[in-house]
């Protein structure tokens, strides 16, 4: 950090302090010790105690004889660098942050407002009220509950305003967009575009101004589907959202190796709304991540809609998309009705997606799914509605069911079926006249996911299924350089020294992100060992009898071409700690590492990922 920026922000707490301090004189302790040698020394030592070092002068920081180094030229260049997605210093609401190379910091005011339930969510109240009335109407029309709403919510947010210092939340829209003629819809949209309302004085006095959106007024226009930011992802390499291992330092490493799209770890909407600092840290973005989104998980609209409004209000300009996790297979999530449980509840998923779309503004909404909850494949029914009825801006399908988790091979034939189903639904939609906006709908990006471990597999499946791209999960965990292999269409026989350089790069990223103090070093060590618990499974290309390698192959015990390669292939967690000590110093005696996944099972690895 000091070499790159000219200053270490950790200061005296840094565990690598020797890299950025200088000696300006003897410390008080050294002078006192020297004063014990002989009477003269004692007299001088007493003088030092009474009058300070050097006749009353305290040298260095608190008499240590040391001062922190700062390269003013490099530090000035770092502060004045061009940064994407960062507001100018003239913006009083969000001043330009010049120290960090990360974005999307959740303020303390935001977290306090959420914890005390004082954060204003005017759009959420209108949306949830509309969805409840619509749900009651649909239940009357179909007693079996099979009907689900469709299309964007025709809501008039102009009712948001002042009323005794409180937010007015009663919707003024018609109960169904089908009941409105074109003239009425056009007039409503014009009124919404021209209406302007400021935040209430009560919210301003409560000090919540800084934790609202960047604009000084609430955007109350009903956004048409074509006005959403369009995602042009064809051919882009997508790193899957990975729980625990998909942290910012690892994503940063993958970006340096050729990854194009990254997504933060799955966050629980309930924790977001409780102001949980750890949950909000999942939205943190490295400034070098070109396309970045966050993934949320929840079991009902009353949790997911307010979380979406908060995220869009705070970080709408720092996110390229928000992703719904509808594929997480673990029991803790599934039993609560979230994750892959949503696959069996189309009406609930409809309310969630349409409600989130209404409050996200121009931020695109994407979704990740599995083939079904059991061996019966049912997701193609949802694909026929994802874009035309529920407004998804992109979708990813993992080619396994919830029951399979990560066992067996992914079914790419079914991924092709679902992709074709979605595109056919868009074709029929356009043939039937399309929406009320009168614009032709363009099929959204469709990504496949499952068992991508070589560039040969990647291009073969791309051609066979016709998807726009492929999401890479365990393949990137085992060999992060898979993105380089795909882009350069080659099998990289990476050397042990090159692999060690990637470990060093992750350690550097971790210290920059978590800090170089004692706590930051320990956190970096923990996640570095988590990463090695996956990368040790890589079998060097030069040792294979045939190519390409398969992700579920079980190699026999082998010895590397040098001692370092053998060490990097070790499945012993003590060896992983030894590797971390090469870059982070000696591990504390009381520090132990236990991986969060089964280190000897490919199929169950990282079960918490979406």
């Amino acid at each position: 950090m000091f070499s790159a920026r000219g200053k270490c922000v950790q200061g005296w707490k840094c565990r690598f302090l020797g890299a950025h301090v200088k000696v300006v004189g003897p410390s008080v302790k050294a002078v006192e010790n020297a004063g014990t040698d002989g009477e003269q020394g004692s007299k001088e030592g007493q003088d030092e105690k009474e009058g300070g070092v050097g006749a009353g002068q305290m040298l260095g920081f608190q008499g240590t004889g040391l001062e922190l180094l700062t390269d003013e030229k490099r530090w000035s260049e770092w502060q004045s660098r061009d940064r994407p997605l960062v507001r100018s210093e003239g913006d009083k609401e969000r001043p330009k942050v010049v120290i960090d190379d990360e974005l999307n910091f959740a303020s303390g005011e935001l977290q306090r407002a959420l914890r005390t339930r004082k954060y204003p969510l005017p759009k959420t109240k209108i949306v949830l009220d509309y969805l409840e009335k619509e749900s009651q109407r649909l239940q009357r029309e179909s007693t079996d509950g099979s009907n689900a709403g469709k299309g964007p919510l025709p809501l008039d947010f102009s009712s948001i305003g002042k009323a005794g210092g409180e937010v007015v939340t009663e919707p003024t829209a018609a109960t169904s967009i089908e009941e409105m003629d074109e003239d009425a819809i056009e007039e409503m949209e014009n009124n919404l575009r021209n209406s302007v309302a400021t935040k209430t004085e009560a919210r301003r006095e409560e000090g919540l101004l800084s934790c609202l959106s960047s604009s000084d007024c609430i955007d109350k226009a009903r956004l048409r589907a074509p006005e959403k930011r369009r995602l042009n992802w064809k051919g882009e390499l997508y790193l899957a959202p990975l729980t625990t291992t998909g942290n910012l330092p690892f994503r940063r490493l993958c970006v340096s190796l050729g990854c194009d799209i990254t997504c933060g770890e799955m966050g629980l909407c309930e924790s977001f709304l409780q102001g949980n600092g750890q949950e909000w840290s999942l939205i943190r973005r490295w400034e070098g991540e070109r396309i970045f989104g966050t993934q949320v998980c929840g079991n009902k609209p009353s949790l997911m809609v307010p979380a979406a409004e908060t995220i869009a209000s705070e970080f709408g300009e720092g996110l390229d998309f928000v992703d719904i996790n509808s594929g997480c297979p673990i029991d803790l999530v599934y039993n609560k009705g979230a994750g892959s449980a949503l696959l069996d509840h189309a009406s609930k998923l409809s309310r969630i997606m349409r409600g989130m779309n209404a409050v996200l503004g121009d931020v695109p909404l994407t979704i990740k799914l599995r083939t079904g909850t059991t061996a019966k494949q049912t997701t193609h029914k949802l694909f026929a509605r994802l874009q035309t009825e529920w407004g998804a801006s992109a979708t990813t399908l993992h080619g396994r069911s919830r029951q399979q988790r990560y066992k067996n091979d992914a079914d790419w034939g079914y991924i092709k079926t679902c992709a074709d189903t979605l595109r056919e639904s868009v074709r029929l939609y356009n043939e039937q006249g399309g929406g009320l906006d009168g614009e032709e709908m363009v099929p959204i990006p469709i990504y496949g996911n499952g068992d991508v471990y070589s560039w040969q597999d990647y291009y073969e499946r791309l051609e066979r299924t016709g998807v726009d791209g492929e999401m890479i999960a365990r393949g990137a965990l085992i060999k992060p350089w898979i993105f380089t292999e795909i882009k350069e269409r080659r099998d990289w026989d990476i050397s042990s020294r090159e692999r060690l350089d990637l470990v060093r790069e992750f350690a550097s990223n971790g210290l920059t992100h978590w800090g170089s103090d004692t706590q930051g070093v320990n956190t970096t060590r923990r996640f570095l060992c988590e990463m090695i618990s996956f990368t040790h499974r890589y079998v060097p290309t030069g040792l294979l009898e045939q190519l390409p390698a398969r992700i579920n192959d079980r190699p026999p015990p082998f010895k590397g071409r040098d001692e370092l390669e053998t060490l990097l292939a070790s499945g012993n967690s003590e060896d992983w700690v030894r590797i971390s000590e090469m870059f982070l110093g000696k591990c504390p005696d009381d520090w132990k590492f236990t991986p969060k996944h089964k280190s000897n099972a490919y199929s169950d690895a990282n079960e918490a990922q979406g």
Side-chain angles (χ1 to χ4, degrees):
M1 184 182 290
F2 177 76
S3 300
R5 307 179 182 183
K7 182 178 180 178
C8 175
V9 296
Q10 293 292 327
W12 294 102
K13 297 186 298 180
C14 182
R15 289 285 299 274
F16 303 89
L17 184 62
H20 48 82
V21 293
K22 63 179 178 180
V23 179
V24 296
S27 67
V28 172
K29 187 73 173 176
V31 172
E32 290 176 351
N33 291 338
T36 60
D37 297 334
E39 272 185 39
Q40 185 64 27
S42 296
K43 185 175 184 303
E44 291 175 359
Q46 184 65 28
D47 291 341
E48 299 289 356
K49 292 179 183 179
E50 295 175 358
V53 178
Q57 182 181 9
M58 185 78 76
L59 295 178
F61 176 72
Q62 295 186 352
T64 59
L66 302 174
E67 285 185 359
L68 289 173
L69 283 174
T70 299
D71 188 323
E72 297 295 345
K73 181 180 179 182
R74 275 186 295 171
W75 182 239
S76 177
E77 291 174 352
W78 173 261
Q79 289 178 307
S80 60
R81 73 196 188 283
D82 292 332
R83 300 187 68 203
L85 305 173
V86 177
R87 299 186 174 279
S88 65
E89 298 201 27
D91 191 327
K92 294 182 180 180
E93 273 195 36
R94 291 187 179 179
K96 184 176 181 181
V97 180
V98 295
I99 295 178
D100 296 291
D101 57 356
E102 298 176 8
L103 308 167
N104 299 346
F105 285 84
S107 64
E109 291 84 355
L110 166 65
Q111 296 175 47
R112 282 193 294 273
L114 289 169
R115 282 195 293 267
T116 57
R117 298 187 179 182
K118 292 182 178 180
Y119 190 89
L121 296 167
K123 290 184 179 181
T124 292
K125 296 177 182 179
I126 297 176
V127 167
L128 293 181
D129 185 77
Y130 175 86
L131 290 173
E132 178 64 25
K133 292 179 179 179
E134 181 191 62
S135 177
Q136 293 173 0
R137 177 174 60 82
L138 292 174
Q139 284 181 359
R140 289 194 299 269
E141 295 174 359
S142 176
T143 55
D144 61 359
S146 60
N147 281 1
K150 60 182 179 180
L153 304 186
L155 296 177
D156 183 355
F157 291 128
S158 62
S159 59
I160 301 172
K162 295 181 180 179
E166 295 298 326
V167 179
V168 179
T169 59
E170 287 298 321
T172 60
T175 57
S176 172
I177 196 168
E178 289 84 356
E179 300 175 15
M180 304 175 65
D181 56 30
E182 285 192 34
D183 292 336
I185 292 176
E186 185 175 354
E187 183 179 354
M188 183 186 74
E189 289 181 345
N190 289 335
N191 290 335
L192 293 178
R193 290 193 191 96
N194 296 328
S195 62
V196 177
T198 59
K199 304 184 188 81
T200 64
E201 288 299 322
R203 295 301 180 190
R204 193 183 297 275
E205 292 172 2
E206 288 173 11
L208 299 181
L209 185 65
S210 62
C211 65
L212 289 175
S213 64
S214 58
S215 172
D216 198 33
C217 63
I218 299 174
D219 177 17
K220 297 177 290 185
R222 182 178 74 88
L223 199 75
R224 300 181 305 137
E227 293 175 343
K228 284 268 188 185
R229 300 180 207 161
R230 184 163 292 172
L231 301 178
N232 184 18
W233 286 359
K234 191 170 183 62
E236 305 280 19
L237 299 181
Y238 192 163
L239 173 65
L242 304 165
T243 300
T244 305
T245 47
N247 47 65
L248 186 146
F250 181 76
R251 299 198 310 266
R252 184 172 176 176
L253 175 66
C254 291
V255 168
S256 70
L257 292 167
C259 179
D260 300 306
I261 306 171
T262 53
C263 186
E265 302 172 56
M266 179 187 74
L268 300 177
C269 288
E270 188 174 3
S271 297
F272 279 125
L273 297 175
Q274 291 171 351
N276 187 304
Q278 290 185 339
E279 214 73 14
W280 280 102
S281 68
L282 302 179
I283 301 183
R284 200 83 57 81
R285 174 183 192 169
W286 177 52
E287 63 182 8
E289 293 180 90
R290 184 168 61 88
I291 305 174
F292 173 76
T294 188
Q295 187 181 71
V296 296
C297 180
N299 61 355
K300 52 188 175 182
S302 59
L303 288 177
M304 301 193 74
V305 173
E309 182 177 359
T310 308
I311 290 171
S313 178
E314 291 294 321
F315 308 111
E317 294 185 1
L319 293 171
D320 296 295
F321 62 95
V322 172
D323 187 67
I324 296 176
N325 185 315
S326 187
C328 184
I330 63 174
D331 295 338
L332 184 65
V333 174
Y334 178 82
N335 291 339
K336 290 184 177 181
S340 55
L342 293 175
L343 299 174
D344 293 332
H345 300 280
S347 58
K348 183 193 291 187
L349 187 58
S350 165
R351 295 195 299 274
I352 288 173
M353 293 187 65
R354 294 165 65 233
M356 290 179 68
N357 258 321
V359 299
L360 280 175
D362 66 343
V363 179
L365 180 67
T366 68
I367 184 169
K368 185 172 186 285
L369 312 97
R370 282 178 174 257
T371 61
T373 54
T374 63
K376 184 178 180 180
Q377 297 174 327
T378 58
T379 305
H380 62 281
K381 299 177 183 178
L382 302 179
F383 264 76
R385 313 170 74 177
L386 284 180
Q387 182 179 2
T388 56
E389 297 184 12
W390 302 339
S393 294
T395 181
T396 302
L397 178 61
H398 186 166
R400 295 184 180 88
S401 67
R402 184 255 170 181
Q403 198 174 55
Q404 287 177 301
R405 298 208 174 195
Y406 299 91
K407 297 175 182 176
N408 310 115
D409 293 336
D411 189 345
W412 281 83
Y414 187 66
I415 292 176
K416 173 177 169 53
T417 298
C418 291
D420 293 341
T421 300
L422 187 146
R423 290 173 180 141
E424 179 65 14
S425 69
V426 172
R427 186 187 66 80
L428 293 175
Y429 180 86
N430 291 330
E431 284 185 357
Q432 295 168 3
L436 294 170
D437 296 315
E439 296 189 33
E440 184 172 319
M441 185 176 287
V442 179
I444 60 176
I446 305 170
Y447 270 61
N449 174 225
D451 301 340
V452 181
Y453 193 59
S454 68
W455 68 269
Q456 294 96 329
D457 289 341
Y458 179 89
Y459 287 107
E460 186 271 331
R461 290 166 180 166
L462 203 65
E463 182 178 355
R464 173 160 55 96
T465 63
V467 294
D468 296 287
E470 298 173 34
M471 178 184 280
I472 306 173
R474 287 182 297 156
L477 290 173
I478 297 173
K479 54 174 188 179
W481 54 93
I482 187 174
F483 301 104
T484 303
E485 292 187 334
I486 292 172
K487 287 196 169 181
E488 298 181 1
R489 295 180 181 247
R490 69 181 177 98
D491 293 301
W492 184 1
D493 187 13
I494 188 170
S495 68
S496 58
R497 179 61 199 218
E498 288 172 318
R499 290 174 63 188
L500 193 65
D501 282 341
L502 296 182
V503 175
R504 176 200 55 77
E505 186 176 344
F506 179 91
S508 177
N509 296 343
L511 294 174
T512 303
H513 177 63
W514 289 300
S516 53
D517 58 350
T518 299
Q519 182 178 352
V521 170
N522 289 339
T523 303
T524 301
R525 191 189 307 276
R526 176 209 159 188
F527 285 104
L528 177 59
C529 290
E530 287 281 1
M531 185 185 78
I532 299 174
S533 72
F534 284 96
T535 58
H536 87 275
R537 301 173 179 175
Y538 169 72
V539 181
T541 298
L543 299 181
L544 294 176
E545 294 182 355
Q546 61 182 16
L547 293 173
R550 303 296 178 186
I551 197 169
N552 290 325
D553 286 347
R554 298 295 192 276
F558 67 91
K559 183 176 181 180
R561 292 166 290 187
D562 55 48
E563 292 302 320
L564 178 57
E565 194 167 72
T566 303
L567 177 63
L568 292 172
S570 172
N572 187 340
S573 61
E574 293 181 2
D575 288 330
W576 307 340
V577 175
R578 283 178 54 202
I579 295 171
S580 75
E581 291 180 335
M582 297 181 186
F583 306 99
L584 302 174
K586 189 179 185 305
C587 177
D589 294 334
D590 59 346
W591 193 89
K592 302 295 181 183
F593 173 72
T594 303
K596 284 196 170 184
H597 62 278
K598 300 175 183 178
S599 61
N600 61 347
Y602 280 78
S603 57
D604 290 331
N606 207 38
E607 288 187 348
Q609 75 178 35

